[in-house]
Amino acid sequence: MTMFASAVLGASPAERVDRQTKAALAMDAHPERGSKVFDQYCAKCHGPGALGNAKRGIPALAGQRLAYLVRQLANFANAERDSSTMHAVVSRGELQNPQVWTDIAAYLNGIPSRLPLSTGAGQDVALGRGIFHEQCASCHGSDASGDADGFAPSLRHQHYVYLNAQMHKLAEGYRHNADEELVRFLRSLDDRDMIATADYLSRLTGAGKDRKRMRDDGVVVD
């Protein structure tokens, strides 16, 4: 039996994601190991500095919240997020181990976010700002750096194309265990609203709210 098999046997994919995420976050983090795994399996697409690729719609991961990164790796491993590319990556033996998810996430969380990243055309930034602060800030924070627990992602320092694409994918059900209220809200937006919100978020620069803390294993994370 593989790791966690006895604990998750017969569980639904969403239940497996929850259990594996909780278990992974309880493990000691080794960002130096995560760096090596990232360079081997992830840097080809996400870049050596984890800045993504705007033209290909690949997200920047530098500075992203640790808990969110771990949960998304669990989502991909359990096909709770659709991406044939990511499914192929996480299907490799080493990347099926939740310990490795924590190591990668700790490494990425500690990389400083670098600028500039891509933005939109700038036509409806005020509209996007209004939508975000009225409808999104309660979960993602007024500075868009995520919630206190780290499961709501930081939306700062992210490519416009990726932000816009993910809003559409969430509305279309590509993230199978996404919050139902979030999905309903995004389905209420039209293309102009999504473009405006993504454009506004892509322009958020500088440090957001600092929630750094030292874990029991001595690793400082946000």
Side-chain angles (χ1 to χ4, degrees):
M1 276 189 153
T2 59
M3 191 175 190
F4 295 101
S6 60
V8 301
L9 188 64
S12 69
E15 290 171 334
R16 289 198 297 271
V17 168
D18 288 341
R19 295 177 188 180
Q20 291 174 352
T21 299
K22 182 178 180 180
L25 290 173
M27 297 174 177
D28 288 351
H30 304 281
E32 69 286 352
R33 296 182 193 170
S35 172
K36 294 177 182 178
V37 177
F38 179 85
D39 288 345
Q40 181 176 356
Y41 295 108
C42 314
K44 180 179 179 180
C45 292
H46 288 280
L51 297 180
N53 186 308
K55 292 182 179 179
R56 296 171 59 194
I58 297 174
L61 301 177
Q64 184 57 267
R65 307 297 297 280
L66 179 136
Y68 176 76
L69 289 167
V70 169
R71 185 170 180 83
Q72 295 316 303
L73 284 166
N75 276 327
F76 283 122
N78 289 281
E80 285 291 276
R81 279 189 66 174
D82 289 348
S83 170
S84 57
T85 302
M86 282 299 299
H87 293 166
V89 172
V90 299
S91 68
R92 302 181 185 188
E94 184 174 7
L95 288 169
Q96 293 179 6
N97 186 344
Q99 174 66 68
V100 176
W101 304 345
T102 296
D103 295 344
I104 294 172
Y107 164 65
L108 292 171
N109 178 255
I111 300 176
S113 299
R114 301 186 185 93
L115 300 175
L117 297 182
S118 68
T119 61
Q123 296 176 346
D124 289 311
V125 175
L127 171 63
R129 183 183 189 281
I131 291 172
F132 175 80
H133 285 281
E134 289 177 11
Q135 303 292 339
C136 313
S138 59
C139 290
H140 289 280
S142 60
D143 62 351
S145 65
D147 63 357
D149 295 328
F151 288 107
S154 171
L155 302 177
R156 305 175 67 87
H157 307 293
Q158 192 56 266
H159 297 291
Y160 159 77
V161 171
Y162 178 77
L163 290 165
N164 186 34
Q166 290 304 305
M167 291 173 71
H168 281 86
K169 287 185 176 182
L170 278 162
E172 294 163 6
Y174 283 90
R175 296 195 185 188
H176 307 307
N177 63 356
D179 181 80
E180 293 181 1
E181 291 187 8
L182 172 61
V183 174
R184 283 195 296 270
F185 162 66
L186 290 172
R187 286 176 177 169
S188 74
L189 301 180
D190 59 23
D191 282 345
R192 182 190 176 199
D193 293 334
M194 290 191 186
I195 289 170
T197 305
D199 197 356
Y200 165 70
L201 291 169
S202 72
R203 296 168 186 273
L204 296 182
T205 61
K209 184 175 181 179
D210 186 358
R211 297 188 179 91
K212 285 184 171 58
R213 62 183 177 83
M214 182 177 288
R215 289 162 41 104
D216 291 341
D217 56 17
V219 176
V220 177
V221 300
D222 186 11

mmCIF file of all heavy atoms in Angstrom, residues 94-123:
data_model
loop_
_atom_site.group_PDB
_atom_site.id
_atom_site.type_symbol
_atom_site.label_atom_id
_atom_site.label_comp_id
_atom_site.label_asym_id
_atom_site.label_seq_id
_atom_site.Cartn_x
_atom_site.Cartn_y
_atom_site.Cartn_z
ATOM 1 N N GLU A 94 7.643 10.363 -7.236
ATOM 2 C CA GLU A 94 8.135 11.268 -6.200
ATOM 3 C C GLU A 94 7.120 12.345 -5.862
ATOM 4 O O GLU A 94 6.981 12.760 -4.707
ATOM 5 C CB GLU A 94 9.440 11.921 -6.660
ATOM 6 C CG GLU A 94 10.091 12.803 -5.611
ATOM 7 C CD GLU A 94 11.443 13.318 -6.037
ATOM 8 O OE1 GLU A 94 11.825 13.096 -7.199
ATOM 9 O OE2 GLU A 94 12.124 13.943 -5.200
ATOM 10 N N LEU A 95 6.361 12.797 -6.862
ATOM 11 C CA LEU A 95 5.416 13.897 -6.658
ATOM 12 C C LEU A 95 4.060 13.434 -6.158
ATOM 13 O O LEU A 95 3.153 14.246 -5.991
ATOM 14 C CB LEU A 95 5.261 14.693 -7.951
ATOM 15 C CG LEU A 95 6.478 15.550 -8.295
ATOM 16 C CD1 LEU A 95 6.389 16.101 -9.694
ATOM 17 C CD2 LEU A 95 6.612 16.691 -7.299
ATOM 18 N N GLN A 96 3.896 12.156 -5.876
ATOM 19 C CA GLN A 96 2.678 11.667 -5.256
ATOM 20 C C GLN A 96 2.778 11.692 -3.732
ATOM 21 O O GLN A 96 1.813 11.372 -3.045
ATOM 22 C CB GLN A 96 2.377 10.240 -5.730
ATOM 23 C CG GLN A 96 2.015 10.163 -7.205
ATOM 24 C CD GLN A 96 1.739 8.749 -7.664
ATOM 25 O OE1 GLN A 96 1.712 7.817 -6.877
ATOM 26 N NE2 GLN A 96 1.534 8.579 -8.964
ATOM 27 N N ASN A 97 3.922 12.081 -3.234
ATOM 28 C CA ASN A 97 4.185 12.077 -1.794
ATOM 29 C C ASN A 97 3.848 13.441 -1.186
ATOM 30 O O ASN A 97 4.471 14.446 -1.553
ATOM 31 C CB ASN A 97 5.661 11.745 -1.562
ATOM 32 C CG ASN A 97 5.997 11.573 -0.097
ATOM 33 O OD1 ASN A 97 5.246 11.966 0.782
ATOM 34 N ND2 ASN A 97 7.146 10.970 0.156
ATOM 35 N N PRO A 98 2.886 13.523 -0.257
ATOM 36 C CA PRO A 98 2.537 14.806 0.352
ATOM 37 C C PRO A 98 3.712 15.517 1.022
ATOM 38 O O PRO A 98 3.706 16.743 1.137
ATOM 39 C CB PRO A 98 1.455 14.425 1.367
ATOM 40 C CG PRO A 98 0.788 13.238 0.751
ATOM 41 C CD PRO A 98 1.930 12.461 0.129
ATOM 42 N N GLN A 99 4.722 14.768 1.462
ATOM 43 C CA GLN A 99 5.908 15.424 2.018
ATOM 44 C C GLN A 99 6.569 16.296 0.974
ATOM 45 O O GLN A 99 7.021 17.417 1.260
ATOM 46 C CB GLN A 99 6.906 14.371 2.520
ATOM 47 C CG GLN A 99 8.239 14.944 2.994
ATOM 48 C CD GLN A 99 8.102 15.801 4.238
ATOM 49 O OE1 GLN A 99 7.803 15.279 5.306
ATOM 50 N NE2 GLN A 99 8.310 17.115 4.114
ATOM 51 N N VAL A 100 6.620 15.825 -0.263
ATOM 52 C CA VAL A 100 7.222 16.589 -1.342
ATOM 53 C C VAL A 100 6.396 17.830 -1.645
ATOM 54 O O VAL A 100 6.940 18.891 -1.965
ATOM 55 C CB VAL A 100 7.389 15.706 -2.598
ATOM 56 C CG1 VAL A 100 7.921 16.515 -3.777
ATOM 57 C CG2 VAL A 100 8.329 14.545 -2.302
ATOM 58 N N TRP A 101 5.063 17.724 -1.529
ATOM 59 C CA TRP A 101 4.221 18.905 -1.749
ATOM 60 C C TRP A 101 4.585 20.012 -0.765
ATOM 61 O O TRP A 101 4.693 21.180 -1.132
ATOM 62 C CB TRP A 101 2.746 18.557 -1.587
ATOM 63 C CG TRP A 101 2.251 17.441 -2.450
ATOM 64 C CD1 TRP A 101 2.879 16.906 -3.551
ATOM 65 C CD2 TRP A 101 1.041 16.701 -2.286
ATOM 66 N NE1 TRP A 101 2.124 15.889 -4.075
ATOM 67 C CE2 TRP A 101 0.999 15.740 -3.331
ATOM 68 C CE3 TRP A 101 -0.001 16.760 -1.372
ATOM 69 C CZ2 TRP A 101 -0.071 14.847 -3.474
ATOM 70 C CZ3 TRP A 101 -1.062 15.874 -1.508
ATOM 71 C CH2 TRP A 101 -1.087 14.937 -2.558
ATOM 72 N N THR A 102 4.757 19.635 0.500
ATOM 73 C CA THR A 102 5.110 20.626 1.515
ATOM 74 C C THR A 102 6.478 21.227 1.246
ATOM 75 O O THR A 102 6.680 22.438 1.406
ATOM 76 C CB THR A 102 5.072 19.980 2.910
ATOM 77 O OG1 THR A 102 3.727 19.581 3.205
ATOM 78 C CG2 THR A 102 5.539 20.950 3.982
ATOM 79 N N ASP A 103 7.422 20.401 0.819
ATOM 80 C CA ASP A 103 8.768 20.899 0.530
ATOM 81 C C ASP A 103 8.744 21.895 -0.637
ATOM 82 O O ASP A 103 9.366 22.967 -0.569
ATOM 83 C CB ASP A 103 9.702 19.732 0.197
ATOM 84 C CG ASP A 103 9.919 18.796 1.370
ATOM 85 O OD1 ASP A 103 9.601 19.184 2.517
ATOM 86 O OD2 ASP A 103 10.404 17.672 1.144
ATOM 87 N N ILE A 104 8.038 21.558 -1.713
ATOM 88 C CA ILE A 104 7.937 22.458 -2.861
ATOM 89 C C ILE A 104 7.254 23.754 -2.466
ATOM 90 O O ILE A 104 7.693 24.856 -2.812
ATOM 91 C CB ILE A 104 7.181 21.788 -4.020
ATOM 92 C CG1 ILE A 104 7.965 20.604 -4.572
ATOM 93 C CG2 ILE A 104 6.904 22.802 -5.133
ATOM 94 C CD1 ILE A 104 7.198 19.786 -5.594
ATOM 95 N N ALA A 105 6.145 23.633 -1.728
ATOM 96 C CA ALA A 105 5.384 24.818 -1.334
ATOM 97 C C ALA A 105 6.206 25.736 -0.447
ATOM 98 O O ALA A 105 6.146 26.971 -0.581
ATOM 99 C CB ALA A 105 4.099 24.395 -0.616
ATOM 100 N N ALA A 106 6.983 25.170 0.464
ATOM 101 C CA ALA A 106 7.822 25.987 1.344
ATOM 102 C C ALA A 106 8.886 26.720 0.542
ATOM 103 O O ALA A 106 9.194 27.893 0.818
ATOM 104 C CB ALA A 106 8.464 25.117 2.414
ATOM 105 N N TYR A 107 9.443 26.047 -0.446
ATOM 106 C CA TYR A 107 10.441 26.691 -1.306
ATOM 107 C C TYR A 107 9.818 27.853 -2.075
ATOM 108 O O TYR A 107 10.351 28.965 -2.079
ATOM 109 C CB TYR A 107 11.032 25.678 -2.263
ATOM 110 C CG TYR A 107 11.779 26.300 -3.421
ATOM 111 C CD1 TYR A 107 12.945 27.033 -3.207
ATOM 112 C CD2 TYR A 107 11.305 26.178 -4.725
ATOM 113 C CE1 TYR A 107 13.618 27.632 -4.266
ATOM 114 C CE2 TYR A 107 11.976 26.764 -5.789
ATOM 115 C CZ TYR A 107 13.130 27.494 -5.551
ATOM 116 O OH TYR A 107 13.790 28.092 -6.590
ATOM 117 N N LEU A 108 8.682 27.608 -2.726
ATOM 118 C CA LEU A 108 8.039 28.644 -3.531
ATOM 119 C C LEU A 108 7.562 29.811 -2.676
ATOM 120 O O LEU A 108 7.686 30.972 -3.065
ATOM 121 C CB LEU A 108 6.860 28.049 -4.300
ATOM 122 C CG LEU A 108 7.226 27.047 -5.395
ATOM 123 C CD1 LEU A 108 5.974 26.363 -5.925
ATOM 124 C CD2 LEU A 108 7.980 27.737 -6.528
ATOM 125 N N ASN A 109 7.036 29.509 -1.507
ATOM 126 C CA ASN A 109 6.555 30.555 -0.616
ATOM 127 C C ASN A 109 7.665 31.511 -0.210
ATOM 128 O O ASN A 109 7.421 32.704 0.006
ATOM 129 C CB ASN A 109 5.921 29.917 0.626
ATOM 130 C CG ASN A 109 5.430 30.928 1.631
ATOM 131 O OD1 ASN A 109 6.061 31.133 2.675
ATOM 132 N ND2 ASN A 109 4.330 31.584 1.338
ATOM 133 N N GLY A 110 8.878 30.999 -0.145
ATOM 134 C CA GLY A 110 9.999 31.823 0.296
ATOM 135 C C GLY A 110 10.695 32.604 -0.798
ATOM 136 O O GLY A 110 11.610 33.379 -0.512
ATOM 137 N N ILE A 111 10.274 32.414 -2.063
ATOM 138 C CA ILE A 111 10.898 33.154 -3.159
ATOM 139 C C ILE A 111 10.284 34.546 -3.243
ATOM 140 O O ILE A 111 9.064 34.685 -3.302
ATOM 141 C CB ILE A 111 10.686 32.434 -4.506
ATOM 142 C CG1 ILE A 111 11.291 31.037 -4.486
ATOM 143 C CG2 ILE A 111 11.312 33.254 -5.647
ATOM 144 C CD1 ILE A 111 11.026 30.257 -5.765
ATOM 145 N N PRO A 112 11.073 35.598 -3.251
ATOM 146 C CA PRO A 112 10.504 36.948 -3.380
ATOM 147 C C PRO A 112 9.779 37.114 -4.715
ATOM 148 O O PRO A 112 10.241 36.632 -5.745
ATOM 149 C CB PRO A 112 11.742 37.864 -3.319
ATOM 150 C CG PRO A 112 12.818 37.035 -2.711
ATOM 151 C CD PRO A 112 12.541 35.618 -3.129
ATOM 152 N N SER A 113 8.631 37.763 -4.681
ATOM 153 C CA SER A 113 7.905 38.070 -5.910
ATOM 154 C C SER A 113 8.653 39.165 -6.655
ATOM 155 O O SER A 113 8.971 40.203 -6.082
ATOM 156 C CB SER A 113 6.486 38.529 -5.591
ATOM 157 O OG SER A 113 5.776 37.514 -4.930
ATOM 158 N N ARG A 114 8.925 38.920 -7.925
ATOM 159 C CA ARG A 114 9.653 39.899 -8.725
ATOM 160 C C ARG A 114 8.725 40.528 -9.739
ATOM 161 O O ARG A 114 7.772 39.922 -10.194
ATOM 162 C CB ARG A 114 10.831 39.236 -9.433
ATOM 163 C CG ARG A 114 11.835 38.586 -8.487
ATOM 164 C CD ARG A 114 13.039 38.099 -9.281
ATOM 165 N NE ARG A 114 13.962 37.365 -8.441
ATOM 166 C CZ ARG A 114 13.942 36.055 -8.286
ATOM 167 N NH1 ARG A 114 13.035 35.337 -8.908
ATOM 168 N NH2 ARG A 114 14.826 35.443 -7.520
ATOM 169 N N LEU A 115 9.022 41.746 -10.095
ATOM 170 C CA LEU A 115 8.219 42.496 -11.061
ATOM 171 C C LEU A 115 9.078 42.825 -12.278
ATOM 172 O O LEU A 115 10.299 42.833 -12.195
ATOM 173 C CB LEU A 115 7.704 43.786 -10.406
ATOM 174 C CG LEU A 115 6.825 43.592 -9.171
ATOM 175 C CD1 LEU A 115 6.493 44.938 -8.565
ATOM 176 C CD2 LEU A 115 5.561 42.850 -9.513
ATOM 177 N N PRO A 116 8.490 43.161 -13.420
ATOM 178 C CA PRO A 116 7.043 43.254 -13.622
ATOM 179 C C PRO A 116 6.461 41.951 -14.152
ATOM 180 O O PRO A 116 7.183 41.124 -14.715
ATOM 181 C CB PRO A 116 6.934 44.349 -14.678
ATOM 182 C CG PRO A 116 8.163 44.146 -15.514
ATOM 183 C CD PRO A 116 9.241 43.668 -14.562
ATOM 184 N N LEU A 117 5.165 41.768 -13.986
ATOM 185 C CA LEU A 117 4.424 40.692 -14.618
ATOM 186 C C LEU A 117 3.457 41.326 -15.611
ATOM 187 O O LEU A 117 3.299 42.545 -15.657
ATOM 188 C CB LEU A 117 3.677 39.853 -13.577
ATOM 189 C CG LEU A 117 4.557 39.110 -12.558
ATOM 190 C CD1 LEU A 117 3.697 38.288 -11.622
ATOM 191 C CD2 LEU A 117 5.578 38.214 -13.258
ATOM 192 N N SER A 118 2.789 40.507 -16.401
ATOM 193 C CA SER A 118 1.939 41.041 -17.465
ATOM 194 C C SER A 118 0.640 41.621 -16.903
ATOM 195 O O SER A 118 0.112 41.158 -15.897
ATOM 196 C CB SER A 118 1.610 39.936 -18.468
ATOM 197 O OG SER A 118 0.777 38.953 -17.871
ATOM 198 N N THR A 119 0.133 42.651 -17.576
ATOM 199 C CA THR A 119 -1.138 43.273 -17.197
ATOM 200 C C THR A 119 -2.058 43.292 -18.417
ATOM 201 O O THR A 119 -1.658 42.956 -19.530
ATOM 202 C CB THR A 119 -0.928 44.712 -16.704
ATOM 203 O OG1 THR A 119 -0.342 45.487 -17.766
ATOM 204 C CG2 THR A 119 -0.011 44.750 -15.497
ATOM 205 N N GLY A 120 -3.310 43.706 -18.179
ATOM 206 C CA GLY A 120 -4.266 43.829 -19.268
ATOM 207 C C GLY A 120 -4.148 45.171 -19.961
ATOM 208 O O GLY A 120 -3.174 45.907 -19.792
ATOM 209 N N ALA A 121 -5.199 45.513 -20.722
ATOM 210 C CA ALA A 121 -5.162 46.730 -21.538
ATOM 211 C C ALA A 121 -5.387 48.002 -20.735
ATOM 212 O O ALA A 121 -5.117 49.100 -21.216
ATOM 213 C CB ALA A 121 -6.210 46.634 -22.653
ATOM 214 N N GLY A 122 -5.909 47.876 -19.536
ATOM 215 C CA GLY A 122 -6.075 49.048 -18.676
ATOM 216 C C GLY A 122 -7.325 49.871 -18.927
ATOM 217 O O GLY A 122 -7.434 50.984 -18.423
ATOM 218 N N GLN A 123 -8.305 49.332 -19.645
ATOM 219 C CA GLN A 123 -9.492 50.108 -20.003
ATOM 220 C C GLN A 123 -10.531 50.194 -18.882
ATOM 221 O O GLN A 123 -11.248 51.183 -18.780
ATOM 222 C CB GLN A 123 -10.140 49.511 -21.259
ATOM 223 C CG GLN A 123 -9.260 49.597 -22.498
ATOM 224 C CD GLN A 123 -9.884 48.919 -23.709
ATOM 225 O OE1 GLN A 123 -10.846 48.165 -23.574
ATOM 226 N NE2 GLN A 123 -9.335 49.186 -24.874
#
